[in-house]
Amino acid sequence: LIVDMLAVARIESEDEMFEINSVSIQEVVHESIESRRASLDAKQIKLQWYATDPALCVRADQEALREILDNLLDNAVKYTPNEGKVTVHWEPEGELVRIAVEDTGIGIAGEHLDRIFERFYRVDKARSREMGGTGLGLSIVKHLVEVFGGSTEVQSERGKGTTFFVRLPLA
């Protein structure tokens, strides 16, 4: 919790120093997936990734992009039941790249979608605590994406899954 709170405070205060350059999405996606391999295997979650152009790069900080994807993949794995599916895909969208992390998890009811990126906001407080969430992961995602001139979006349906979209400038 303290580490996440410090991360948000640093990003918001603009004290965080980022090395912004061209970052390979494929490389960061691969690293993030591999670091979750044990939890994916334990839940028998099928993970796939694809891109219209796997070589696409974004203008961002590599470690920050890794943190963004780590948070989104952690949530996807955490809230997807055994034998579910998680998909990561990206494609160009004008001057941006749209990265999507999609799951077949429990989904989020519509009344929560407007607040999902707020600090400490939890859809199901009891379940989030039980699963180890701090309520800061998606806030960190939103703030990091905005630092790089991008945007975040979520689409979800209760019981059917969730897709988080991150749009970042094309490198």
Side-chain angles (χ1 to χ4, degrees):
L1 177 63
I2 292 170
V3 170
D4 283 352
M5 287 176 64
L6 288 172
V8 171
R10 278 195 312 271
I11 295 163
E12 286 181 341
S13 71
E14 299 177 8
D15 286 344
E16 184 76 32
M17 298 300 291
F18 295 104
E19 189 176 316
I20 299 175
N21 49 41
S22 180
V23 179
S24 165
I25 301 167
Q26 181 175 332
E27 181 181 321
V28 176
V29 165
H30 179 74
E31 291 170 0
S32 190
I33 289 170
E34 286 309 308
S35 69
R36 271 146 203 79
R37 185 61 59 199
S39 57
L40 289 163
D41 291 346
K43 292 181 77 175
Q44 298 178 312
I45 292 175
K46 179 182 177 187
L47 189 137
Q48 64 183 30
W49 66 267
Y50 64 91
T52 55
D53 178 359
L56 282 173
C57 294
V58 292
R59 294 217 26 89
D61 176 272
Q62 184 157 346
E63 289 304 312
L65 182 57
R66 172 72 189 268
E67 187 165 359
I68 290 165
L69 286 168
D70 283 350
N71 275 308
L72 294 176
L73 281 171
D74 279 344
N75 283 347
V77 172
K78 189 183 301 182
Y79 295 108
T80 297
N82 291 354
E83 300 180 7
K85 184 169 96 173
V86 173
T87 305
V88 181
H89 54 96
W90 60 96
E91 62 189 2
E93 190 177 76
E95 297 295 313
L96 303 171
V97 175
R98 184 180 75 165
I99 304 167
V101 177
E102 182 177 358
D103 67 56
T104 59
I106 62 174
I108 304 165
E111 67 266 17
H112 298 287
L113 294 177
D114 287 343
R115 299 190 59 202
I116 199 76
F117 292 102
E118 292 178 14
R119 273 184 276 187
F120 302 113
Y121 189 80
R122 295 176 175 180
V123 172
D124 181 344
K125 292 164 184 39
R127 186 175 179 137
S128 293
R129 267 190 231 101
E130 176 184 301
M131 297 176 102
T134 63
L136 288 171
L138 292 176
S139 179
I140 290 170
V141 166
K142 179 182 179 194
H143 283 87
L144 285 172
V145 168
E146 288 176 351
V147 163
F148 305 123
S151 64
T152 54
E153 179 186 347
V154 61
Q155 294 176 352
S156 187
E157 188 175 339
R158 196 84 174 120
K160 299 213 178 201
T162 302
T163 304
F164 282 95
F165 298 99
V166 169
R167 288 175 178 83
L168 292 169
L170 186 61

